[in-house]
Amino acid sequence: DGGITQSPKYLFRKEGQNVTLSCEQNLNHDAMYWYRQDPGQGLRLIYYSQIVNDFQKGDIAEGYSVSREKKESFPLTVTSAQKNPTAFYLCASTHVGGGSYGYTFGSGTRLTVV
Amino acid sequence: AQSVTQLDSQVPVFEEAPVELRCNYSSSVSVYLFWYVQYPNQGLQLLLKYLSGSTLVESINGFEAEFNKSQTSFHLRKPSVHISDTAEYFCAVSDVGYSTLTFGKGTMLLVSP
């Protein structure tokens, strides 16, 4: 079955460490998105990409980086510059254009700083 | 620019009671509207969507939402809730012809016995 897979489900980071969250989809979607979710703050867009080798900053891109070398994959790196990285991270994907599809979401990665 | 307002951050309700989760949007063009549900520690799942045609749309688990263009609203309703409906619900909008969604901040539905 087609879907979008995020791994790992839980991730622990030490202070000063970079960590990478994986997002893979087999839906043949062009666009992929990364959101951060904190209690009571809804979904905040970090980065998005609508085509391979191109991506755009969202509302809270500072301290994060992404790459889009393959259509299926959109990994997110949380760098040491992100001062408060503890949160639930969601990846989503959709077809470009039209707008009627909505997003398909992964099951999320919970990142905790220890 | 688009925006979505979910008027209630939390809605407590007793089991078998009716519920309405409110959603208002602003956009200068035609829109598509969506409701998503998120259970604890999971991703968002599409509950229902309005694209065109009948303004009343239904989900398979008894929720319905009505598109009201004049009031720019897309409220979600269920006539009788179950404990298992406890979750966070997100309203979202996209402009017709564009794939990017704008989300509301979510409404936590708390169903108690």
Side-chain angles (χ1 to χ4, degrees):
Chain A
D1 286 340
I4 182 167
T5 302
Q6 289 188 241
S7 61
K9 189 167 179 64
Y10 298 96
L11 186 56
F12 297 90
R13 191 193 95 165
K14 294 182 180 179
E15 297 277 354
Q17 236 181 12
N18 291 357
V19 291
T20 297
L21 284 60
S22 171
C23 178
E24 304 272 338
Q25 54 94 3
N26 61 1
L27 299 165
N28 199 32
H29 285 171
D30 304 289
M32 298 185 74
Y33 303 82
W34 274 106
Y35 288 92
R36 171 178 171 144
Q37 190 175 23
D38 297 280
Q41 296 196 43
L43 303 173
R44 292 188 289 169
L45 183 63
I46 306 172
Y47 268 98
Y48 66 99
S49 168
Q50 296 194 318
I51 193 170
V52 173
N53 292 322
D54 187 51
F55 46 83
Q56 308 296 327
K57 291 182 179 180
D59 301 317
I60 56 163
E62 186 174 350
Y64 300 96
S65 66
V66 294
S67 63
R68 187 86 187 274
E69 297 176 0
K70 298 186 301 181
K71 186 176 183 177
E72 301 80 16
S73 178
F74 192 42
L76 174 74
T77 297
V78 184
T79 75
S80 57
Q82 172 49 240
K83 297 306 178 190
N84 184 23
T86 294
F88 191 55
Y89 291 85
L90 286 163
C91 182
S93 67
T94 190
H95 291 291
V96 170
S100 63
Y101 299 102
Y103 292 175
T104 300
F105 282 85
S107 56
T109 293
R110 186 165 296 280
L111 174 62
T112 304
V113 174
V114 296
Chain B
Q2 294 171 334
S3 67
V4 177
T5 303
Q6 292 185 244
L7 296 161
D8 304 297
S9 59
Q10 277 194 8
V11 174
V13 64
F14 289 109
E15 193 173 20
E16 298 183 7
V19 70
E20 179 179 81
L21 306 183
R22 296 179 291 170
C23 173
N24 287 90
Y25 69 93
S26 67
S27 177
S28 57
V29 298
S30 297
V31 297
Y32 296 135
L33 293 156
F34 304 81
W35 275 101
Y36 285 84
V37 59
Q38 184 183 31
Y39 300 102
N41 290 313
Q42 295 186 24
L44 278 68
Q45 303 170 30
L46 180 65
L47 188 59
L48 48 75
K49 62 182 178 182
Y50 169 79
L51 303 180
S52 65
S54 172
T55 57
L56 185 67
V57 290
E58 298 177 351
S59 72
I60 58 172
N61 57 354
F63 282 94
E64 63 180 31
E66 187 160 18
F67 170 53
N68 187 319
K69 187 174 182 179
S70 62
Q71 297 188 4
T72 60
S73 68
F74 191 53
H75 302 331
L76 182 69
R77 303 184 185 97
K78 190 170 186 180
S80 175
V81 294
H82 300 139
I83 296 283
S84 59
D85 292 323
T86 294
E88 190 153 24
Y89 293 79
F90 290 90
C91 182
V93 62
S94 70
D95 289 343
V96 173
Y98 294 89
S99 54
T100 301
L101 289 182
T102 299
F103 289 88
K105 288 191 177 296
T107 297
M108 186 69 203
L109 176 62
L110 299 165
V111 183
S112 54

